Each structure stands twice: as structure tokens, then as C-alpha cells.
Amino acid sequence: MPPSSRSLPVRLGATLLVAALAMAGCGEKEPTAAAAGATLKTHILKLLDEVSAQNAQVTDPGGKDIPCGDGKAKRTFAATAPDSYHESAPYTLNVMMISTLGDIADYKITESTGAIVHMENEPTRTVVILESTKGRYSARGETRCLSRS
């Protein structure tokens, strides 16, 4: 029986549908601990730069795997910087960083007491903790437990 003129488009359409469904189920690959750690460092340093903090000081350079079970690891990073006004309240500094961090990447507040604010970026698997003191910005963070490679 000769193939109909519709069989090629139908087969092609079915193939494209199967491919699209397969791709939709894959999602994005989870970052490694090292990649997420590098992203965390970039986000925190950019955050301090964007709020016009001067003389940022790295208090935790990170860069090392911290084992967290099942062959996975996490990374950390932290930095502080004086506020240019030197007298701003911790809450004010945190609010400025909340707004700015949301512009840098898709961070959402997951917990807050005002004095301590936890913000998470799900795609990069990073958490940033804002914990400023009077006249001093402070941001630290960690990655989720992720594959080492």
C-alpha cells in the first residue's frame, strides 16, 4: 500500500512532539558545589558593590568543599563592608540589600526577623543571609548540598 501524502507530516509531527516532551521532562541540570560556590561569591560581591559599600572585606573566602553526606558538599562565602553613612541602622542596611539582591538574581526571602534575613535562589541552589550591624553591611551565604562533580 503506497504511503499517503499525510504520513510524512504526521510522522514528523509525532517525532517533534516526542522530542519536546522528552526535553520538558529533563529540566536544568543541578550545578556542582564548586559552580554554585562561584555564583554565591559573585552575587555577594556584586551586592556589596551595588549598594555602594566601600572597602569590602572578605570574611570567609570559601572555595572549599564542606562534606554534607552522600558524597555531596556545600560551599560558603561571606563579606562585610562599612556603610558610607557609618550610622545606618542594621534594618535599613538589610532592606537596601534585599532590594538590590533581588535585582541581581531571583532571590526570595525565606525567613526574616528583620535583623537576620535569609534569601534563596532556587536555580543556583544558593542561600544568602543578610545580617548587618550598625553602619556595616554583612552578607554571608552557602550553597545547598550538591554533587562535587
Side-chain angles (χ1 to χ4, degrees), residues 45 56-62 76-81 136-140:
L45 292 176
Q57 181 178 35
V58 174
T59 56
D60 174 5
T76 60
F77 184 81
T80 67
R136 188 158 198 86
Y137 293 102
S138 179
R140 61 186 166 90

Side-chain angles (χ1 to χ4, degrees), residues 82-106:
D83 169 32
S84 57
Y85 297 108
H86 304 293
E87 295 297 321
S88 298
Y91 177 80
T92 302
L93 297 177
N94 283 348
V95 167
M96 288 174 59
M97 288 196 295
I98 289 167
S99 174
T100 303
L101 190 57
D103 290 341
I104 291 170
D106 190 25

